[in-house]
Amino acid sequence: GVRVVVNHRYWGLVHQSDGLEGTRRRMQTAQRFAPPFGVAWECGLRAFPVESIPSMLALHRAAADLD
């Protein structure tokens, strides 16, 4: 029989250093070269101070809402 493999890619496109605008630019580039994809943080949240997590999650949520 035929075996179907579904591959979901999540790229580390969300960066706190340049916020939503930088994320949008990276998403536009990914859309040209590697669709479809999901967005992820640039690296694990463990690498950042605990107090920065709420703003990071808000940025990630906003990025997920971009088309």
Side-chain angles (χ1 to χ4, degrees), residues 15 18-27 59 62-64 66:
H15 297 202
D18 60 3
L20 197 55
E21 281 309 308
T23 299
R24 183 187 323 269
R25 286 191 306 273
R26 285 184 286 281
M27 288 174 70
L59 175 57
L66 292 174

Side-chain angles (χ1 to χ4, degrees), residues 7-67:
N7 185 359
H8 296 280
R9 293 183 190 106
Y10 288 83
W11 302 107
L13 306 176
V14 183
H15 297 202
Q16 191 171 26
S17 62
D18 60 3
L20 197 55
E21 281 309 308
T23 299
R24 183 187 323 269
R25 286 191 306 273
R26 285 184 286 281
M27 288 174 70
Q28 289 169 342
T29 300
Q31 186 62 39
R32 288 195 332 251
F33 296 104
F37 62 90
V39 296
W41 199 255
E42 62 184 298
C43 69
L45 294 176
R46 183 180 71 192
F48 296 91
V50 158
E51 58 275 2
S52 68
I53 301 296
S55 65
M56 294 166 66
L57 292 176
L59 175 57
H60 198 279
R61 181 176 54 242
D65 289 337
L66 292 174
D67 288 327

